[in-house]
Amino acid sequence: MMSFFFFGFKININCLLIYLRPMMGSMQALSTVIRKASASNFVGSAVLNLLQSQAKIMAGNYLVRSLLEKMIESANSAYLGIIERWVYEGVIDDPHDEFFIAENKSLQKESLTEDYDAMYWRQRYSLKDDIPSILANSAEPILTTEKSLNVMRECGHTVQVPALENSKLMNFGSNDHYLECIKSAYDFASGELLNLTKKMKISVMQKGEE
């Protein structure tokens, strides 16, 4: 189309519409996503779910679906970065309040050293209502993994999830690599918490026998 301008040809509205027609579907899809997200103040998980639902609706339109899938891939990459820091470092790096795990920093840990079912354990970290649909079956393990390890750290125990050979959570791809990473971290955390609980019970029993 730019050749018309370079060679001095005039272009009218009808001609412009002809050139823009292939992009109209994509522009309409973007408009729909922006309008819905803005109207409901969507952030984080809600935006991911909106993009997924719109991509399904436009499954028959290759150009529009491809655009939405690229947007999903970019959004997933940023979101997986938050999950990765949580799973491997126990840190909620969420400046825009987009993560599906909430942290209640007002709770104190004093009672936790003697009671692993204290309010601190149950309410310091919790799931929000909005969870990415693709993580519907993984949200609870993701929460419990670092929830367990953070509790142990707060009690003075040094513990770190061992990284897999390729532990970086790249995308929610079909190879399910991110699920393997999450399962590995969850299994490790569960085992560490179980071992610590057993040690505490033994210690209590020994003190009772003295």
Side-chain angles (χ1 to χ4, degrees):
M1 182 176 69
M2 293 301 297
S3 61
F4 280 88
F5 296 99
F6 290 140
F7 291 102
F9 291 104
K10 293 183 179 179
I11 185 169
N12 57 34
I13 295 298
N14 289 334
C15 203
L16 182 62
L17 288 175
I18 290 174
Y19 279 104
L20 292 177
R21 187 171 296 166
M23 295 182 288
M24 294 300 288
S26 298
M27 297 301 292
Q28 181 62 44
L30 286 175
S31 174
T32 299
V33 169
I34 293 171
R35 187 177 67 254
K36 289 184 176 181
S38 299
S40 301
N41 294 318
F42 282 169
V43 296
S45 302
V47 174
L48 292 178
N49 291 336
L50 174 60
L51 288 172
Q52 291 281 0
S53 65
Q54 290 301 121
K56 289 181 180 178
I57 291 173
M58 303 305 298
N61 188 321
Y62 175 77
L63 291 177
V64 175
R65 189 186 75 246
S66 296
L67 172 63
L68 291 172
E69 287 177 347
K70 288 181 180 179
M71 294 176 65
I72 291 170
E73 183 178 350
S74 296
N76 284 347
S77 178
Y79 206 81
L80 279 168
I82 301 177
I83 296 176
E84 187 175 307
R85 289 211 66 189
W86 167 252
V87 169
Y88 291 111
E89 301 177 39
V91 174
I92 295 182
D93 185 7
D94 186 23
H96 303 295
D97 195 28
E98 298 175 312
F99 199 30
F100 62 87
I101 294 176
E103 180 180 11
N104 186 350
K105 296 182 179 180
S106 66
L107 292 179
Q108 301 300 312
K109 69 176 189 303
E110 280 74 13
S111 65
L112 191 61
T113 54
E114 297 180 359
D115 181 9
Y116 272 75
D117 193 36
M119 181 181 293
Y120 182 94
W121 162 256
R122 290 181 280 109
Q123 298 184 14
R124 176 63 187 269
Y125 301 103
S126 60
L127 292 177
K128 297 179 181 178
D129 292 333
D130 286 326
I131 297 174
S133 57
I134 197 168
L135 291 174
N137 296 325
S138 305
E140 192 67 41
I142 291 173
L143 168 68
T144 304
T145 296
E146 273 302 322
K147 183 177 179 180
S148 302
L149 299 181
N150 274 340
V151 164
M152 287 185 275
R153 293 187 188 109
E154 292 282 3
C155 293
H157 300 276
T158 301
V159 61
Q160 179 68 43
V161 175
L164 296 178
E165 182 178 351
N166 181 12
S167 59
K168 189 166 183 62
L169 307 181
M170 298 297 294
N171 56 63
F172 296 120
S174 58
N175 61 1
D176 292 336
H177 174 67
Y178 75 98
L179 291 177
E180 294 176 9
C181 294
I182 292 170
K183 184 179 184 303
S184 176
Y186 175 76
D187 290 343
F188 173 80
S190 299
E192 289 294 304
L193 185 60
L194 179 60
N195 290 336
L196 180 58
T197 302
K198 289 179 179 179
K199 290 179 181 178
M200 290 182 63
K201 288 183 178 179
I202 293 174
S203 177
V204 171
M205 290 175 62
Q206 289 175 341
K207 288 181 179 180
E209 293 174 354
E210 293 178 355

